[in-house]
Amino acid sequence: MKRPIAISDSANFYVSAERIFDPTLKNVPVIVLSNNDGCAVARSDEAKALGIKMGEPLHLLQDKIKAHGVRVFSSNYTLYGDISRRVVEVYEDFTPNVEIYSIDECFLDFGGFKDRDKHARAMRREVLRLIGVPVRIGIAPTKTLAKCANDIAKKNPIFGGVLDVMDDALATWLLPMVPVGDIWGIGCKTDAKLQKLGIYTAADPRDMPTKQARAVGSVVLERTVLELQGEACLAFDDIEPQRKGMAVTRSAGTPMKDFDTVFQAVTAHATRAAEKLRQHGLVAGTLTVFFHTNRHRLDRPQYSGSRSTRVTPMSSDTFDLVEAARRCAQAAWPKGEGQAFGFTKAGIMLADLIRFEDRPLTLFDVEKPKSAALMSALDQVNNRFGMKTLVLASEGMKRPWQLRSDHRSPRYTTRLTDLPVVR
Amino acid sequence: MPVFSVETPVIANGMPVRLVANAVSAGFPSPAGDDLEDEIAPISWVVRHPSSTFWWRVEGDCLWDAGIRDGDIIAVDRAGKRRVGRAVLAVVEGAVTAKILRKRDGRYFLAPANSKESFPDIELTEDSEIWGVIAGVVRRYDLE
């Protein structure tokens, strides 16, 4: 017996999250912008109907926004993260195993339920009732097929948001509805190659020999073909895999021209990364700093700098990581005078992450007995009084490098000063 | 540091023996040591369903008689049962309002609770929607 896997996700999740607290957004076109207010990354159905494309730059949309009264929002990840967490909590009442795939998508173990369809519909109803977010659910024996089912359920209101394709005959009937380019894990290059071979929908790869699949698109495509045939290659993980690396990187609202400003941004990113490490009980062994100018402005001087360093002993201490980041940033800073660069992006990456308990001890470990207590105090202060209550001075006070987010909605659910108001 | 660290549970008559978890001081033992409990958490008493409870700030006094005043913070539970007589948040014509759910002649109304000022009743139509049920109120007073 094949084990049913469900995937639940919300169409236009960011828009749905905005709509919870602002009923004037109902039935009107709404878009949410990417980091730094660059382009549209989420669109309500009404906005899609106006022909606004995914990733379309804001400055090209001004006419449509004015003509149709499109409501525009900057990304409010604080809000989306909180709503996402609440949605997962509801899922957890319906299945013992939830694998969070992204901010708006979860794989759910649906093994052992008698009436899956009824169960999924009840879950969908509860998420809508308790949180106010509409989700669609696809159920299938493999993750790839579940994604197809979810895709069909999203596009065809006739299914009422739930589609179970555990039945082979049903799958045969439905898969021709999914264009090959929409299949999970198939990029546009592979899509083009498959079209040439006469493979147009998710139904076609089921008859494709795996050898051929491997020849056309490597192991990844072979796995996808097997998954479409109903053979589960991607396991349902009930344990989150150990994180191998992490990155904190942001675009700057205004180009950063001097070392201090770039280093302020780098300090802030390193601080955030250190916080994340401590949250997960990890330490890092390698740190990379990078920054670069706007690659789309070839009329301006271009520079891209990056340096890596070992962090010894391996650490999650904010001071250690910021110090390592400073060495990297100084080494990567452009040499020579006279060139004025405007850096629009800076970030840090941490690699070689292991659990704190497993870290190798160095022979001449510098004893810093107060470091753990200091870090825990730092985290506690920032948890209780809000992020960035206590920061390293090298992060700066004015933070000119901060993101542009001119249209961000309030952090309705996480800040006392931002609570929604009822009259 | 303990003189001997106990690595495995001590078994007596097939049952593990519980070891005293309190730190033993060399002086007078704390008489409260065995009676410690968690701190009082009134918020968790108000919030019955954490995932479906959202906080809102109140402006205006239309629920004064229900003990809700201008400036209060209210917990609103979307999982709360919509019952006549309960204070609810409702969406009417694109605006969110806090009112008491009432029923007269088989029709539902959103009614204020303020005997000093008069606010109109709003009939609940198909277009309006109840957002959630008020689960509790938090208010603070000046100290300085």
Side-chain angles (χ1 to χ4, degrees):
Chain A
M1 178 64 197
K2 284 172 176 170
R3 193 176 188 78
I5 298 172
I7 185 161
S8 183
D9 88 333
S10 167
N12 328 330
F13 175 68
Y14 298 169
V15 174
S16 298
E18 297 287 351
R19 278 177 169 163
I20 297 174
F21 298 97
D22 186 350
T24 64
L25 301 177
K26 212 174 164 184
N27 302 326
V28 301
V30 181
I31 59 171
V32 177
L33 303 171
S34 61
N35 267 341
N36 215 19
D37 289 355
C39 47
V41 288
R43 306 153 296 151
S44 70
D45 290 339
E46 297 81 5
K48 286 176 190 170
L50 292 175
I52 297 176
K53 297 274 176 309
M54 184 73 176
E56 206 168 335
L58 178 63
H59 64 95
L60 295 181
L61 289 171
Q62 292 304 340
D63 293 345
K64 268 183 196 160
I65 290 170
K66 270 194 206 111
H68 303 282
V70 178
R71 304 280 301 272
V72 180
F73 289 87
S74 304
S75 303
N76 185 348
Y77 287 112
T78 316
L79 173 67
Y80 310 152
D82 184 65
I83 299 302
S84 170
R85 175 186 63 78
R86 289 166 184 259
V87 171
V88 173
E89 273 172 25
V90 178
Y91 291 155
E92 281 167 348
D93 288 340
F94 283 83
T95 166
N97 288 328
V98 178
E99 183 193 328
I100 299 170
Y101 178 65
S102 69
I103 195 164
D104 64 336
E105 292 169 284
C106 287
F107 287 107
L108 312 158
D109 185 351
F110 258 42
F113 298 122
K114 224 185 218 166
D115 191 340
R116 285 185 304 271
D117 189 76
K118 201 172 148 201
H119 194 65
R121 280 174 206 285
M123 184 171 88
R124 183 175 184 275
R125 221 170 25 245
E126 280 300 86
V127 175
L128 190 58
R129 184 174 77 95
L130 301 180
I131 318 296
V133 171
V135 297
R136 332 269 171 223
I137 300 157
I139 308 166
T142 70
K143 284 185 171 179
T144 308
L145 280 172
K147 286 280 267 185
C148 289
N150 175 278
D151 197 46
I152 301 172
K154 261 199 268 195
K155 287 178 185 154
N156 304 279
I158 181 176
F159 296 110
V162 174
L163 180 55
D164 180 329
V165 297
M166 286 302 285
D167 181 66
D168 248 356
L170 187 64
T172 308
W173 186 62
L174 287 167
L175 286 180
M177 290 190 197
V178 181
V180 73
D182 286 1
I183 299 169
W184 192 41
I186 292 194
C188 35
K189 270 188 195 164
T190 316
D191 182 21
K193 277 189 208 163
L194 290 173
Q195 301 261 0
K196 267 187 206 152
L197 292 171
I199 289 170
Y200 304 114
T201 78
D204 302 328
R206 298 216 295 174
D207 313 319
M208 190 180 190
T210 47
K211 249 189 185 168
Q212 191 192 4
R214 175 169 258 192
V216 174
S218 84
V219 190
V220 182
L221 183 63
E222 185 185 356
R223 206 174 55 189
T224 303
V225 167
L226 285 169
E227 284 244 318
L228 287 170
Q229 289 168 356
E231 191 178 317
C233 305
L234 300 159
F236 189 92
D237 298 320
D238 34 11
I239 305 156
E240 204 183 336
Q242 179 86 33
R243 302 179 71 139
K244 295 241 166 54
M246 71 164 75
V248 180
T249 150
R250 300 281 144 78
S251 299
T254 46
M256 305 175 283
K257 296 220 159 89
D258 55 304
F259 181 81
D260 283 351
T261 311
V262 171
F263 184 56
Q264 283 175 18
V266 168
T267 301
H269 300 339
T271 300
R272 179 72 195 122
E275 265 168 26
K276 275 196 195 167
L277 280 181
R278 294 196 292 272
Q279 258 171 28
H280 292 273
L282 301 170
V283 289
T286 310
L287 178 144
T288 305
V289 166
F290 65 89
F291 44 87
H292 58 75
T293 48
N294 187 347
R295 284 162 183 166
H296 303 293
R297 294 297 304 265
L298 292 169
D299 53 318
R300 292 186 189 159
Q302 294 283 312
Y303 185 89
S304 146
S306 146
R307 282 291 187 288
S308 294
T309 182
R310 302 280 312 158
V311 182
T312 39
M314 296 176 81
S315 174
S316 61
D317 182 299
T318 302
F319 290 98
D320 290 351
L321 296 185
V322 169
E323 175 50 29
R326 193 184 53 77
R327 288 199 310 271
C328 290
Q330 275 174 341
W333 193 251
K335 307 287 177 294
E337 309 292 315
Q339 272 283 46
F341 297 106
F343 294 106
T344 50
K345 192 158 199 164
I348 80 141
M349 285 184 291
L350 297 178
D352 196 5
L353 308 187
I354 57 169
R355 286 209 313 255
F356 178 79
E357 306 85 65
D358 302 338
R359 75 195 190 286
L361 298 173
T362 48
L363 184 54
F364 299 105
D365 237 355
V366 188
E367 273 295 322
K368 283 196 292 182
K370 285 187 181 155
S371 158
L374 179 60
M375 286 306 119
S376 121
L378 182 68
D379 289 344
Q380 275 177 32
V381 167
N382 287 336
N383 269 334
R384 186 179 307 175
F385 300 104
M387 281 218 298
K388 300 215 177 290
T389 301
L390 267 185
V391 298
L392 268 59
S394 56
E395 187 170 318
M397 294 297 154
K398 283 203 209 127
R399 307 192 182 115
W401 44 269
Q402 243 177 8
L403 279 186
R404 184 174 305 147
S405 55
D406 298 338
H407 317 277
R408 207 200 48 236
S409 51
R411 284 128 167 165
Y412 293 115
T413 59
T414 48
R415 290 206 179 189
L416 210 46
T417 50
D418 282 18
L419 293 184
V421 172
V422 56
R423 291 183 176 85
Chain B
M1 279 291 281
V3 181
F4 297 106
S5 60
V6 181
E7 304 287 352
T8 49
V10 179
I11 308 284
N13 303 329
M15 295 286 284
V17 175
R18 261 193 71 194
L19 298 174
V20 181
N22 292 342
V24 179
S25 75
F28 185 74
S30 164
D34 291 334
D35 298 320
L36 292 178
E37 292 185 357
D38 292 338
E39 267 183 76
I40 291 174
I43 293 296
S44 62
W45 177 68
V46 169
V47 176
R48 264 63 56 84
H49 310 107
S51 48
S52 59
T53 303
F54 297 87
W55 294 95
W56 288 70
R57 190 181 297 278
V58 177
E59 265 181 22
D61 285 324
C62 72
L63 289 180
W64 179 279
D65 296 354
I68 295 171
R69 299 182 190 172
D70 186 55
D72 285 352
I73 294 175
I74 51 172
V76 184
D77 192 343
R78 293 178 61 99
K81 296 230 163 59
R82 285 97 168 114
R83 292 231 174 99
V84 170
R86 285 195 175 163
V88 298
L89 246 65
V91 182
V92 181
E93 286 168 8
V96 184
T97 175
K99 292 282 184 301
I100 308 287
L101 185 62
R102 299 271 180 223
K103 192 177 180 185
R104 274 196 312 270
D105 311 325
R107 295 190 300 182
Y108 288 95
F109 291 88
L110 296 165
N114 188 324
S115 42
K116 286 184 289 181
E117 293 173 66
S118 69
F119 295 92
D121 283 11
I122 305 163
E123 188 172 351
L124 208 59
T125 63
E126 274 190 7
D127 297 329
S128 36
E129 166 208 348
I130 295 185
W131 196 93
V133 179
I134 298 180
V137 51
V138 177
R139 178 182 310 146
R140 70 174 197 173
Y141 297 99
D142 285 342
L143 287 181
E144 308 305 330

Coordinates of all heavy atoms in Angstrom, one line a residue, chain A residues 68-127:
Chain A
H68 N -6.3 51.2 -12.0 CA -7.2 50.2 -11.4 C -7.2 50.2 -9.9 O -7.8 49.4 -9.3 CB -6.8 48.8 -11.9 CG -6.8 48.7 -13.4 ND1 -8.0 48.6 -14.1 CD2 -5.8 48.8 -14.3 CE1 -7.7 48.5 -15.4 NE2 -6.4 48.6 -15.6
G69 N -6.5 51.2 -9.3 CA -6.4 51.3 -7.8 C -5.8 50.1 -7.2 O -6.3 49.6 -6.2
V70 N -4.7 49.6 -7.8 CA -4.1 48.4 -7.2 C -3.5 48.8 -5.9 O -2.8 49.8 -5.7 CB -3.0 47.9 -8.1 CG1 -2.3 46.7 -7.5 CG2 -3.5 47.5 -9.5
R71 N -3.7 48.0 -4.8 CA -3.1 48.2 -3.5 C -1.8 47.6 -3.4 O -1.6 46.4 -3.7 CB -4.1 47.7 -2.4 CG -5.5 48.3 -2.5 CD -5.6 49.7 -1.9 NE -5.2 49.7 -0.5 CZ -6.0 49.5 0.5 NH1 -7.3 49.2 0.3 NH2 -5.6 49.5 1.7
V72 N -0.8 48.4 -3.1 CA 0.6 47.9 -3.1 C 1.2 47.8 -1.7 O 1.1 48.8 -0.9 CB 1.5 48.9 -3.9 CG1 2.9 48.5 -4.0 CG2 0.9 49.1 -5.3
F73 N 1.8 46.7 -1.4 CA 2.5 46.5 -0.1 C 3.9 46.1 -0.3 O 4.3 45.3 -1.2 CB 1.7 45.4 0.7 CG 0.4 45.9 1.2 CD1 -0.7 45.7 0.3 CD2 0.2 46.4 2.4 CE1 -2.0 46.1 0.8 CE2 -1.0 46.9 2.8 CZ -2.1 46.7 2.0
S74 N 4.8 46.6 0.7 CA 6.1 46.0 0.8 C 6.0 44.7 1.5 O 5.0 44.5 2.2 CB 7.0 47.0 1.6 OG 7.0 48.2 1.1
S75 N 7.0 43.8 1.4 CA 7.0 42.6 2.1 C 7.0 42.8 3.6 O 7.8 43.6 4.1 CB 8.2 41.7 1.7 OG 8.2 41.5 0.4
N76 N 6.1 42.1 4.3 CA 6.1 42.2 5.8 C 6.3 40.8 6.3 O 5.4 40.1 6.7 CB 4.7 42.7 6.2 CG 4.5 43.0 7.6 OD1 5.4 42.6 8.4 ND2 3.5 43.7 8.0
Y77 N 7.6 40.4 6.2 CA 7.9 39.0 6.6 C 7.6 38.7 8.0 O 7.4 37.6 8.4 CB 9.4 38.7 6.2 CG 9.6 38.6 4.8 CD1 10.3 39.6 4.1 CD2 9.0 37.6 4.0 CE1 10.5 39.5 2.7 CE2 9.1 37.5 2.7 CZ 9.9 38.4 2.0 OH 10.0 38.4 0.6
T78 N 7.7 39.7 8.9 CA 7.3 39.5 10.3 C 5.9 39.0 10.4 O 5.6 38.0 11.1 CB 7.5 40.8 11.1 OG1 8.7 41.5 10.7 CG2 7.5 40.5 12.6
L79 N 5.0 39.6 9.7 CA 3.6 39.2 9.7 C 3.4 37.8 9.0 O 2.8 36.9 9.6 CB 2.7 40.3 9.0 CG 1.3 39.9 8.8 CD1 0.5 39.8 10.1 CD2 0.6 40.9 7.9
Y80 N 4.0 37.7 7.8 CA 3.9 36.4 7.1 C 4.4 35.2 7.9 O 3.8 34.2 7.9 CB 4.5 36.5 5.7 CG 4.2 37.7 4.9 CD1 5.1 38.2 4.0 CD2 3.0 38.4 5.1 CE1 4.8 39.4 3.2 CE2 2.7 39.5 4.4 CZ 3.6 40.0 3.5 OH 3.3 41.1 2.8
G81 N 5.5 35.5 8.6 CA 6.1 34.4 9.4 C 5.2 34.0 10.5 O 5.0 32.8 10.8
D82 N 4.6 35.0 11.2 CA 3.7 34.7 12.3 C 2.5 33.9 11.8 O 2.0 33.0 12.4 CB 3.3 35.9 13.0 CG 2.5 35.6 14.3 OD1 3.0 35.0 15.2 OD2 1.3 36.0 14.3
I83 N 1.9 34.4 10.7 CA 0.7 33.7 10.2 C 1.0 32.3 9.7 O 0.3 31.3 10.0 CB 0.1 34.5 9.0 CG1 -0.3 35.9 9.4 CG2 -1.1 33.8 8.4 CD1 -1.3 36.0 10.5
S84 N 2.2 32.1 9.1 CA 2.7 30.8 8.6 C 2.8 29.9 9.8 O 2.3 28.7 9.8 CB 4.0 31.0 7.9 OG 4.6 29.7 7.7
R85 N 3.4 30.3 10.9 CA 3.5 29.5 12.1 C 2.2 29.1 12.7 O 2.0 27.9 13.0 CB 4.2 30.4 13.2 CG 4.4 29.7 14.6 CD 5.0 30.7 15.6 NE 4.1 31.9 15.8 CZ 3.0 31.9 16.6 NH1 2.7 30.8 17.2 NH2 2.3 33.0 16.8
R86 N 1.2 30.0 12.6 CA -0.1 29.6 13.1 C -0.8 28.6 12.2 O -1.5 27.7 12.7 CB -1.0 30.9 13.2 CG -0.6 31.9 14.3 CD -1.3 33.2 14.0 NE -0.9 34.2 15.0 CZ -1.6 34.6 16.1 NH1 -2.8 34.0 16.3 NH2 -1.2 35.5 16.9
V87 N -0.6 28.7 10.9 CA -1.2 27.7 10.0 C -0.6 26.3 10.3 O -1.3 25.4 10.3 CB -0.9 28.2 8.5 CG1 -1.3 27.0 7.6 CG2 -1.7 29.4 8.2
V88 N 0.7 26.3 10.5 CA 1.4 25.0 10.8 C 0.8 24.4 12.1 O 0.6 23.2 12.2 CB 2.9 25.2 10.9 CG1 3.5 23.9 11.3 CG2 3.5 25.6 9.5
E89 N 0.5 25.3 13.0 CA -0.1 24.8 14.3 C -1.4 24.1 14.1 O -1.7 23.1 14.7 CB -0.2 25.9 15.3 CG 1.0 26.1 16.1 CD 1.0 27.4 17.0 OE1 -0.2 27.8 17.3 OE2 2.0 27.9 17.3
V90 N -2.2 24.6 13.1 CA -3.5 24.0 12.8 C -3.2 22.6 12.1 O -3.9 21.6 12.4 CB -4.3 24.9 11.9 CG1 -5.6 24.2 11.6 CG2 -4.6 26.2 12.6
Y91 N -2.3 22.6 11.2 CA -1.9 21.3 10.5 C -1.6 20.3 11.5 O -1.9 19.1 11.4 CB -0.7 21.5 9.6 CG -1.0 22.4 8.3 CD1 0.1 23.0 7.7 CD2 -2.2 22.5 7.8 CE1 -0.1 23.8 6.6 CE2 -2.4 23.3 6.7 CZ -1.3 23.9 6.0 OH -1.5 24.7 4.9
E92 N -0.9 20.7 12.6 CA -0.4 19.7 13.5 C -1.5 19.0 14.3 O -1.3 18.0 14.9 CB 0.7 20.4 14.5 CG 2.0 20.5 13.8 CD 3.0 21.4 14.5 OE1 2.6 22.1 15.4 OE2 4.2 21.3 14.1
D93 N -2.7 19.7 14.3 CA -3.8 19.0 14.9 C -4.4 17.9 14.0 O -5.3 17.1 14.4 CB -4.9 20.0 15.2 CG -4.6 20.9 16.3 OD1 -3.7 20.5 17.1 OD2 -5.2 22.0 16.4
F94 N -4.0 17.9 12.7 CA -4.6 17.0 11.8 C -3.7 15.9 11.3 O -4.1 14.9 10.7 CB -5.0 17.8 10.5 CG -6.3 18.5 10.8 CD1 -6.3 19.8 11.4 CD2 -7.5 18.0 10.4 CE1 -7.5 20.5 11.6 CE2 -8.7 18.7 10.6 CZ -8.7 19.9 11.2
T95 N -2.4 16.0 11.6 CA -1.4 14.9 11.2 C -0.2 14.9 12.2 O 0.2 16.0 12.6 CB -1.0 15.1 9.8 OG1 0.2 14.2 9.6 CG2 -0.6 16.5 9.4
P96 N 0.3 13.8 12.5 CA 1.5 13.7 13.4 C 2.7 14.2 12.7 O 3.7 14.6 13.4 CB 1.6 12.3 13.8 CG 0.9 11.5 12.7 CD -0.2 12.4 12.1
N97 N 2.8 14.2 11.4 CA 4.0 14.6 10.7 C 3.8 15.7 9.7 O 3.1 15.6 8.8 CB 4.6 13.4 9.9 CG 5.2 12.4 10.8 OD1 5.7 12.7 11.9 ND2 5.1 11.1 10.4
V98 N 4.5 16.9 10.0 CA 4.4 18.0 9.2 C 5.8 18.4 8.7 O 6.7 18.5 9.6 CB 3.8 19.3 9.9 CG1 3.8 20.5 9.0 CG2 2.4 18.9 10.3
E99 N 6.1 18.5 7.5 CA 7.4 18.9 7.0 C 7.2 20.3 6.3 O 6.6 20.4 5.3 CB 7.9 17.9 6.0 CG 9.3 18.3 5.5 CD 9.7 17.4 4.2 OE1 9.2 16.3 4.1 OE2 10.4 18.0 3.4
I100 N 7.8 21.3 7.0 CA 7.6 22.7 6.4 C 8.6 22.8 5.2 O 9.8 22.6 5.4 CB 8.0 23.7 7.5 CG1 7.0 23.6 8.7 CG2 7.9 25.1 6.9 CD1 7.4 24.4 9.9
Y101 N 8.0 23.1 4.1 CA 8.8 23.2 2.9 C 9.1 24.6 2.5 O 10.2 24.9 2.1 CB 8.0 22.5 1.7 CG 8.7 22.6 0.4 CD1 9.9 22.0 0.2 CD2 8.2 23.4 -0.7 CE1 10.6 22.0 -1.0 CE2 8.9 23.5 -1.9 CZ 10.1 22.8 -2.0 OH 10.7 22.9 -3.2
S102 N 8.2 25.5 2.8 CA 8.5 27.0 2.6 C 7.5 27.7 3.5 O 6.7 27.1 4.2 CB 8.3 27.4 1.1 OG 6.9 27.3 0.8
I103 N 7.5 29.0 3.4 CA 6.7 29.8 4.3 C 5.2 29.5 4.1 O 4.4 29.6 5.0 CB 7.0 31.4 4.1 CG1 6.4 32.2 5.3 CG2 6.5 31.9 2.8 CD1 7.0 33.6 5.4
D104 N 4.8 29.1 2.9 CA 3.4 28.8 2.6 C 3.1 27.4 2.2 O 2.0 27.1 1.7 CB 2.9 29.8 1.6 CG 3.5 29.7 0.3 OD1 4.6 29.2 0.2 OD2 2.9 30.1 -0.7
E105 N 4.1 26.5 2.3 CA 3.8 25.1 1.8 C 4.3 24.1 2.8 O 5.4 24.2 3.3 CB 4.6 24.8 0.5 CG 4.2 25.6 -0.7 CD 5.2 25.4 -1.8 OE1 6.2 26.0 -1.8 OE2 4.9 24.6 -2.7
C106 N 3.5 23.1 3.1 CA 3.9 22.1 4.0 C 3.5 20.7 3.4 O 2.4 20.6 2.8 CB 3.2 22.2 5.3 SG 3.7 23.5 6.4
F107 N 4.4 19.7 3.5 CA 4.1 18.4 3.2 C 3.5 17.7 4.5 O 4.1 18.0 5.6 CB 5.3 17.6 2.7 CG 5.7 17.9 1.3 CD1 6.9 18.7 1.1 CD2 5.0 17.5 0.3 CE1 7.3 19.0 -0.2 CE2 5.4 17.8 -1.0 CZ 6.5 18.6 -1.2
L108 N 2.4 17.0 4.3 CA 1.8 16.4 5.5 C 1.7 14.9 5.3 O 1.3 14.5 4.2 CB 0.4 17.0 5.7 CG 0.3 18.5 5.6 CD1 -1.1 19.0 5.3 CD2 0.7 19.1 6.9
D109 N 2.0 14.1 6.3 CA 1.9 12.7 6.2 C 0.4 12.3 6.4 O -0.2 12.6 7.5 CB 2.7 12.1 7.3 CG 2.7 10.6 7.3 OD1 1.9 10.0 6.5 OD2 3.5 9.9 8.0
F110 N -0.2 11.8 5.4 CA -1.7 11.5 5.4 C -1.9 10.0 5.6 O -3.0 9.5 5.3 CB -2.4 12.1 4.2 CG -3.2 13.3 4.6 CD1 -2.6 14.3 5.4 CD2 -4.5 13.5 4.1 CE1 -3.3 15.5 5.7 CE2 -5.2 14.7 4.4 CZ -4.6 15.7 5.2
G111 N -0.8 9.3 5.9 CA -1.0 7.8 6.1 C -1.9 7.4 7.2 O -1.8 8.1 8.3
G112 N -2.7 6.4 7.0 CA -3.5 5.9 8.1 C -4.9 6.5 8.3 O -5.6 6.1 9.2
F113 N -5.2 7.6 7.5 CA -6.5 8.1 7.6 C -7.5 7.4 6.7 O -7.2 7.2 5.6 CB -6.5 9.6 7.3 CG -5.6 10.4 8.3 CD1 -4.6 11.2 7.8 CD2 -5.9 10.4 9.6 CE1 -3.8 11.9 8.7 CE2 -5.1 11.1 10.5 CZ -4.0 11.9 10.0
K114 N -8.7 7.2 7.3 CA -9.7 6.4 6.5 C -10.2 7.2 5.3 O -10.1 6.8 4.2 CB -10.8 6.0 7.4 CG -11.2 4.5 7.2 CD -12.4 4.2 8.1 CE -12.3 2.8 8.7 NZ -13.3 2.6 9.8
D115 N -10.8 8.3 5.7 CA -11.4 9.1 4.6 C -10.6 10.4 4.4 O -10.8 11.4 5.1 CB -12.9 9.5 5.0 CG -13.6 10.2 3.8 OD1 -12.9 10.7 2.9 OD2 -14.8 10.2 3.9
R116 N -9.5 10.2 3.5 CA -8.6 11.3 3.4 C -9.2 12.6 2.9 O -8.9 13.7 3.3 CB -7.5 10.9 2.4 CG -6.5 9.9 2.9 CD -5.4 9.7 1.8 NE -6.0 9.2 0.6 CZ -6.2 8.0 0.3 NH1 -5.9 7.0 1.1 NH2 -6.8 7.7 -0.9
D117 N -10.2 12.4 1.9 CA -10.8 13.6 1.4 C -11.5 14.4 2.4 O -11.4 15.6 2.5 CB -11.8 13.2 0.3 CG -12.3 14.4 -0.5 OD1 -11.5 14.9 -1.4 OD2 -13.5 14.8 -0.3
K118 N -12.3 13.7 3.3 CA -13.0 14.4 4.3 C -12.1 15.0 5.3 O -12.3 16.2 5.8 CB -13.9 13.3 5.0 CG -15.1 13.9 5.8 CD -15.9 12.8 6.3 CE -16.6 13.2 7.6 NZ -17.0 12.0 8.4
H119 N -11.0 14.3 5.6 CA -10.0 14.8 6.6 C -9.4 16.1 6.0 O -9.2 17.1 6.7 CB -8.9 13.7 6.8 CG -8.1 14.0 7.9 ND1 -8.5 14.0 9.2 CD2 -6.7 14.3 8.0 CE1 -7.5 14.2 10.1 NE2 -6.4 14.4 9.3
A120 N -9.0 16.1 4.7 CA -8.4 17.2 4.1 C -9.3 18.4 4.1 O -8.9 19.6 4.3 CB -7.9 16.9 2.7
R121 N -10.6 18.1 3.8 CA -11.6 19.2 3.7 C -11.8 19.9 5.1 O -11.9 21.1 5.3 CB -12.9 18.8 3.1 CG -12.8 18.7 1.6 CD -14.0 18.1 1.0 NE -13.6 17.5 -0.3 CZ -13.4 18.3 -1.4 NH1 -13.5 19.6 -1.4 NH2 -12.9 17.7 -2.5
A122 N -11.8 19.0 6.1 CA -11.9 19.5 7.5 C -10.7 20.4 7.9 O -10.9 21.5 8.5 CB -12.1 18.4 8.5
M123 N -9.5 20.0 7.4 CA -8.3 20.7 7.7 C -8.4 22.1 7.0 O -8.1 23.1 7.7 CB -7.1 19.9 7.3 CG -5.8 20.6 7.6 SD -4.4 19.5 7.3 CE -4.1 19.9 5.6
R124 N -8.8 22.1 5.8 CA -8.9 23.3 5.0 C -9.8 24.3 5.7 O -9.6 25.5 5.8 CB -9.3 22.9 3.6 CG -9.4 24.0 2.7 CD -9.7 23.6 1.3 NE -9.7 24.8 0.4 CZ -10.7 25.6 0.2 NH1 -11.8 25.4 0.8 NH2 -10.5 26.7 -0.6
R125 N -11.0 23.7 6.1 CA -12.0 24.6 6.7 C -11.5 25.2 8.0 O -11.7 26.4 8.3 CB -13.2 23.7 7.0 CG -14.5 24.4 6.8 CD -15.7 23.4 6.9 NE -15.6 22.2 7.7 CZ -15.6 21.0 7.2 NH1 -15.7 20.8 6.0 NH2 -15.4 20.0 8.1
E126 N -10.7 24.4 8.8 CA -10.2 24.9 10.1 C -9.2 26.0 9.8 O -9.2 27.0 10.6 CB -9.6 23.7 10.9 CG -10.6 22.9 11.6 CD -11.4 23.7 12.6 OE1 -12.4 24.3 12.2 OE2 -11.1 23.8 13.8
V127 N -8.3 25.8 8.8 CA -7.3 26.9 8.6 C -8.0 28.2 8.2 O -7.6 29.3 8.7 CB -6.3 26.4 7.5 CG1 -5.3 27.6 7.2 CG2 -5.5 25.2 7.9

